[in-house]
Amino acid sequence: TMKSANKSDIKDSNTDTNDDEKEELCPGFKDVDAFVKYGLGAVLSATKASAVLPQAGDEYDFYRSFPGFQEFCESQGDKLLHSMSQIMHHHGCRSHMRDRNKLTGLEERFDLVVDSNDVILERAGILLDEADGLNRSQQPVMPVGFQPPKIVVSSWNRKVGELTPIPRSETFRLLHAKNVARPQLKFKEKIDNSNTPFVPKIFIKPNALKPLPQMRKERPEDLDVPAALADFIHQQRTQEHVDDMFAHPYQYELDHFSVPEKLLLKPEPQMYKPLAETKLSYIDTLEDLVALNEKLCKLSEFAVDLEHHSYRSFLGLTCLMQISTRDEDFIIDTLELRSELYILNEAFTDPSIVKVFHGADSDVEWLQRDLGLYVVNLFDTHQASRALNLARHSLDHLLKHFCNVDADKRYQLADWRIRPLPDEMVQYARSDTHYLLYIYDCVRVQLLDFNHGQPGLLQSVWNKSKDVSLKKYVKPIFTEESYLELQRKQKKSLNTQQLTAFRLLFAWRDKLARQEDESTGYVLPTHMMSKISEELPKEPQGIIACCNPVPPLVRQQVNELHLLVQQAREMPLLKSSEAGLRQNHGCSGP
Ligand code: AMP
Ligand code: MN
Ligand code: ZN
């Protein structure tokens, strides 16, 4: 079909009557956009309708006791499976969704759907690239760093009117980018993916009540004590030093922190400034960062949020920090200023300045891990929302509830490493903090009103927020047992050979991910790892067949993987329950 389409393109460029062609593309629709709009509407209403079906469990079992309901479910179920099966068939995927002989249950069907989605998305990706003029097979293969990174952001890099005579529709945006330069390459301090515990990055401690642990200068052999005692003292001190080294650097300050009295009084909510009238600054130089820090140190509160990327990095990367004051918004490039951001500790750990976050659990860890930043006097609006028992606790819900703003969360999962940052993403990022100080005012008023003016509930939110700021980043550590934890979540029982394969693949994936600084999901997604373990392919080609699309590192090291699978096949075969006991080292199950 591709060939014939090309031919007709050539014909059309001469004849100028391609209306028929258009209609053929999406029969019954004016253009692709009309079709996409209709399709999205249909999908949304189906999703909504399925959400109001009786929930699994008692409710569903009760309804099932009515024969009419049961029949309806079965006929609709068959219809759905039939449609899905047709779609899969159309895309050349395995499509025996309805074949009761070949499939045992929901899980297998689910796997089939996941696989097919992968195939369909990959195909869509390839076709879109082609439409964008990017031909995959013609890309030069050169080591990273030997060529200027070519940034292809599927739609943003195309100026309207330059390549397309008709402006592209607003409804169609791609949220992923290909060939984004690896920001890790520019980091001054190399990333430590070693299998060792995380050591806090802090070396200057502003607002300290207790100084940072110092290397002890006094050596035990200088003391006037017997050798055995000197040895003991030395051991004690070493242990103390080790404990201090891994402790939360602001543990003491947070333990001794109490909320200033005036923050427990009812505030007068201060309306946010309209976005259009608010100055926005993009900070990517040390000079501007220092100026920002000075500005923040003079305030009594500001709002903070982060954006993060986790697919092309082992530990994850903090890509952006958003800060809003009552008057201004700031977007800080935390990739560019990664080694400098620690200077914000002066404001971040100042107990007289409130830092407002929404759902800071991850943010607190990312701040420590990448930037060496800590927060003293945190107020988390997510904790406030919980205490107020609001219907939902997401930021978009608070925005709607207090500001009547419809948040567009489409960019949440965008690739935040992209530079220069497209304006749409900048606008999205700033709106995550722009309204937060006003929300902070509103929830404080409500927390006091809710409790008849007594500060108890508000105080409890501050305590919960403090617990969040006390969270410590813990690096993922590989142990001989790590694979079992993941395998249990797969809810499939494996025999000895399969479990051995899973263990070996898990170790291979972890090692490679650390070495190449990629996520384990990029190296080998868990569902593919399970599939290889279950099928134990005899040939390298069989391993490739378990993966769709094939991850680049799997393709590169398929022979290595083949050896691991062979090694697993040499294990004596035991039933799954025995296998579990053997490989579990006698530990009890989940
Ligand atoms: P937010 O606090 O909503 O701005 O989210 C911060 C970061 O968390 C985003 O940049 C994403 O990397 C990650 N994130 C947020 N929501 C999700 C989600 N539903 N699934 C995966 N990652 C998410
Ligand atoms: Mn956030
Ligand atoms: Zn955000």
Side-chain angles (χ1 to χ4, degrees):
T1 52
M2 286 298 297
K3 270 185 194 151
S4 64
N6 281 339
K7 262 186 217 151
S8 59
D9 274 356
I10 295 165
K11 187 187 72 198
D12 285 339
S13 60
N14 297 328
T15 56
D16 212 359
T17 53
N18 56 3
D19 275 7
D20 305 359
E21 293 286 321
K22 260 189 200 162
E23 261 167 38
E24 241 176 54
L25 191 59
C26 295
F29 293 93
K30 187 169 108 271
D31 52 20
V32 176
D33 272 341
F35 173 71
V36 168
K37 271 204 187 115
Y38 173 83
L40 191 63
V43 170
L44 276 179
S45 52
T47 312
K48 270 194 193 143
S50 74
V52 297
L53 286 174
Q55 295 295 301
D58 288 349
E59 200 193 353
Y60 179 73
D61 290 341
F62 171 70
Y63 277 91
R64 282 275 297 186
S65 64
F66 298 95
F69 180 82
Q70 198 172 332
E71 273 163 37
F72 176 79
C73 281
E74 254 151 44
S75 64
Q76 292 299 311
D78 276 349
K79 240 171 99 176
L80 276 175
L81 288 177
H82 181 70
S83 311
M84 290 166 86
S85 164
Q86 272 191 323
I87 294 171
M88 291 170 168
H89 184 74
H90 172 77
H91 287 279
C93 312
R94 291 192 300 143
S95 59
H96 45 275
M97 284 299 272
R98 290 191 307 156
D99 194 336
R100 296 223 161 84
N101 299 328
K102 287 197 188 145
L103 285 174
T104 50
L106 204 56
E107 253 176 46
E108 265 179 77
R109 287 211 178 102
F110 192 74
D111 285 351
L112 208 58
V113 173
V114 170
D115 288 351
S116 306
N117 278 340
D118 284 347
V119 173
I120 294 167
L121 285 175
E122 170 75 1
R123 270 189 51 175
I126 292 170
L127 292 174
L128 283 170
D129 280 349
E130 250 178 55
D132 247 9
L134 175 77
N135 187 338
R136 285 193 171 189
S137 56
Q138 281 178 9
Q139 273 175 266
V141 185
M142 283 169 87
V144 216
F146 279 79
Q147 52 181 330
K150 186 170 142 211
I151 299 179
V152 180
V153 186
S154 301
S155 62
W156 295 298
N157 64 335
R158 193 186 271 202
K159 286 200 194 83
V160 169
E162 186 182 275
L163 292 168
T164 41
I166 311 146
R168 279 209 163 185
S169 151
E170 276 300 294
T171 54
F172 194 76
R173 282 196 203 106
L174 277 185
L175 300 188
H176 72 287
K178 293 215 161 72
N179 307 343
V180 175
R182 284 175 75 77
Q184 292 98 312
L185 297 173
K186 288 203 300 181
F187 290 169
K188 288 178 193 142
E189 193 197 335
K190 287 300 150 217
I191 286 179
D192 176 15
N193 291 335
S194 66
N195 198 30
T196 55
F198 175 74
V199 181
K201 278 187 159 188
I202 189 166
F203 58 98
I204 300 174
K205 185 177 169 185
N207 301 302
L209 299 178
K210 189 182 165 190
L212 274 185
Q214 294 266 318
M215 282 293 266
R216 306 228 175 205
K217 302 223 170 59
E218 208 179 344
R219 290 177 307 154
E221 50 271 37
D222 295 343
L223 298 172
D224 189 17
V225 290
L229 191 54
D231 220 38
F232 176 73
I233 293 170
H234 177 72
Q235 268 179 17
Q236 290 285 308
R237 286 182 176 172
T238 316
Q239 188 51 46
E240 263 173 44
H241 179 67
V242 168
D243 291 348
D244 279 352
M245 209 166 75
F246 293 104
H248 189 300
Y250 281 88
Q251 176 87 43
Y252 183 86
E253 286 74 11
L254 284 163
D255 285 344
H256 291 80
F257 170 76
S258 52
V259 186
E261 290 282 323
K262 64 171 193 291
L263 292 179
L264 295 172
L265 301 176
K266 193 159 161 175
E268 189 61 51
Q270 190 180 332
M271 193 62 194
Y272 52 87
K273 287 212 304 197
L275 269 183
E277 289 166 30
T278 309
K279 185 178 170 202
L280 170 69
S281 312
Y282 188 81
I283 311 254
D284 62 356
T285 66
L286 179 57
E287 201 186 346
D288 288 348
L289 185 66
V290 169
L292 170 63
N293 181 52
E294 277 165 18
K295 199 176 259 179
L296 295 178
C297 284
K298 296 197 189 92
L299 299 174
S300 51
E301 71 259 308
F302 57 88
V304 187
D305 186 39
L306 301 175
E307 301 306 328
H308 185 258
H309 176 88
S310 56
Y311 188 53
R312 302 300 308 270
S313 142
F314 183 69
L315 299 171
L317 301 170
T318 304
C319 297
L320 219 60
M321 180 187 289
Q322 305 99 286
I323 290 184
S324 290
T325 70
R326 296 277 182 185
D327 303 302
E328 285 183 74
D329 297 327
F330 300 90
I331 305 273
I332 308 162
D333 187 337
T334 52
L335 294 173
E336 189 65 37
L337 294 173
R338 185 177 161 100
S339 304
E340 280 80 33
L341 265 151
Y342 72 90
I343 64 175
L344 290 188
N345 263 333
E346 198 177 342
F348 274 50
T349 62
D350 184 334
S352 67
I353 306 173
V354 183
K355 274 69 64 176
V356 182
F357 284 70
H358 180 84
D361 298 71
S362 302
D363 303 54
V364 161
E365 295 189 10
W366 297 337
L367 287 171
Q368 296 177 27
R369 184 195 63 198
D370 293 345
L371 313 172
L373 281 172
Y374 294 85
V375 188
V376 177
N377 199 353
L378 170 86
F379 186 93
D380 191 328
T381 52
H382 177 255
Q383 297 298 339
S385 170
R386 296 183 79 95
L388 285 171
N389 236 328
L390 298 183
R392 288 189 293 120
H393 308 308
S394 60
L395 179 61
D396 34 333
H397 184 248
L398 294 188
L399 281 173
K400 186 73 192 162
H401 188 75
F402 291 111
C403 312
N404 199 26
V405 166
D406 285 302
D408 175 2
K409 275 283 175 190
R410 267 183 302 176
Y411 290 99
Q412 193 172 47
L413 299 179
D415 189 334
W416 289 101
R417 300 171 302 163
I418 300 168
R419 296 293 182 276
L421 209 58
D423 191 53
E424 290 121 305
M425 289 171 73
V426 172
Q427 294 308 325
Y428 166 86
R430 92 188 275 200
S431 68
D432 262 358
T433 51
H434 181 79
Y435 306 94
L436 213 49
L437 289 178
Y438 174 69
I439 292 177
Y440 161 63
D441 293 343
C442 295
V443 293
R444 277 186 298 154
V445 168
Q446 290 205 350
L447 285 163
L448 288 167
D449 287 349
F450 209 83
N451 214 33
H452 315 290
Q454 295 301 306
L457 196 60
L458 179 54
Q459 177 73 59
S460 79
V461 172
W462 241 293
N463 291 343
K464 289 255 164 62
S465 304
K466 179 157 101 176
D467 290 343
V468 173
S469 54
L470 274 167
K471 285 189 72 169
K472 271 171 63 183
Y473 172 67
V474 180
K475 208 161 131 182
I477 295 296
F478 174 89
T479 71
E480 288 302 320
E481 275 87 42
S482 312
Y483 78 102
L484 282 172
E485 210 174 303
L486 181 65
Q487 204 283 315
R488 279 197 204 108
K489 287 193 200 136
Q490 309 307 304
K491 301 204 171 73
K492 284 215 178 118
S493 50
L494 302 181
N495 64 36
T496 27
Q497 295 184 348
Q498 293 169 322
L499 197 58
T500 303
F502 194 87
R503 172 169 62 84
L504 295 172
L505 292 173
F506 184 94
W508 171 85
R509 169 175 100 157
D510 183 272
K511 184 165 164 243
L512 205 61
R514 288 177 196 269
Q515 192 179 308
E516 300 292 319
D517 197 16
E518 299 283 5
S519 66
T520 51
Y522 175 81
V523 176
L524 174 59
T526 302
H527 70 276
M528 296 183 191
M529 188 162 82
S530 294
K531 191 150 183 208
I532 300 171
S533 315
E534 281 157 34
E535 299 198 355
L536 296 171
K538 288 204 180 76
E539 308 292 331
Q541 197 47 43
I543 294 174
I544 297 289
C546 287
C547 306
N548 195 342
V550 185
L553 292 167
V554 169
R555 195 181 290 284
Q556 202 186 76
Q557 301 216 7
V558 67
N559 292 327
E560 184 74 23
L561 289 171
H562 179 232
L563 288 178
L564 296 178
V565 174
Q566 268 188 332
Q567 191 183 329
R569 295 177 71 94
E570 281 160 17
M571 291 293 288
L573 200 52
L574 291 177
K575 284 200 299 290
S576 63
S577 54
E578 289 172 78
L581 283 177
R582 287 264 172 120
Q583 304 230 354
N584 229 343
H585 306 289
C587 300
S588 54

